[in-house]
Amino acid sequence: MTLFMWQSVANPYISWGGFKMGQGEPEYLEPYGETISAARELKSRKLLVEYEITYDKTALRETAFFFPAASVHEDNLKAIEAYIPKATALQDAKIGMARSEALQGALWGTVMPPVILLMLGLAIRWALLGFRA
């Protein structure tokens, strides 16, 4: 069982939202939350510009950056380039949490079935011996 779950431990899938850039600290947008939906709505009304950046070969590190539509393209690219190390650190933390959850699930899936079978076998043996101690 653990062998089959290794892929989800080694390369866990995480859905990644994005960042709304502007004045001050960028705001993280949850992947399925209202904030990213609102940002995409503003993008459809041409009030925001979206940049989708993939910055590793596996395409696991894909992040959307939203900027005000009036901002300058070159400035946006510089801001993204400057923020990539922090975005990478945030993604590494999320990947670490997903990896530990997958590992915990794999361990429970590996250890619990034999323990349950052992307890069931002991209960059946106890019943067959006539409930004697």
Side-chain angles (χ1 to χ4, degrees):
M1 171 104 172
T2 307
L3 183 63
F4 295 114
M5 297 202 58
W6 176 248
Q7 187 62 26
S8 59
V9 172
N11 295 315
Y13 173 76
I14 59 165
S15 44
W16 190 253
F19 295 95
K20 186 175 180 185
M21 308 293 275
Q23 305 295 7
E25 186 69 21
E27 174 189 356
Y28 175 66
L29 308 172
E30 288 291 334
Y32 301 112
E34 294 177 13
T35 54
I36 200 159
S37 299
R40 292 224 161 94
E41 172 64 28
L42 290 173
K43 176 191 159 200
S44 71
R45 295 189 325 200
K46 309 273 191 249
L47 297 173
L48 289 179
V49 177
E50 180 180 7
Y51 293 82
E52 287 188 11
I53 306 296
T54 302
Y55 47 96
D56 86 354
K57 295 175 187 171
T58 63
L60 283 175
R61 300 191 184 274
E62 183 175 297
T63 303
F65 290 91
F66 293 92
F67 287 90
S71 59
V72 179
H73 175 70
E74 288 78 21
D75 293 341
N76 295 348
L77 293 179
K78 287 178 187 175
I80 290 170
E81 189 175 328
Y83 200 71
I84 290 276
K86 188 165 186 178
T88 303
L90 291 171
Q91 278 190 333
D92 286 343
K94 278 189 102 168
I95 288 173
M97 287 176 47
R99 190 172 282 147
S100 67
E101 288 173 6
L103 186 59
Q104 186 178 17
L107 288 174
W108 276 105
T110 303
V111 171
M112 288 311 290
V115 169
I116 291 171
L117 285 175
L118 176 66
M119 299 306 282
L120 185 62
L122 289 173
I124 290 172
R125 181 177 179 271
W126 183 54
L128 290 176
L129 290 176
F131 298 103
R132 286 182 256 142

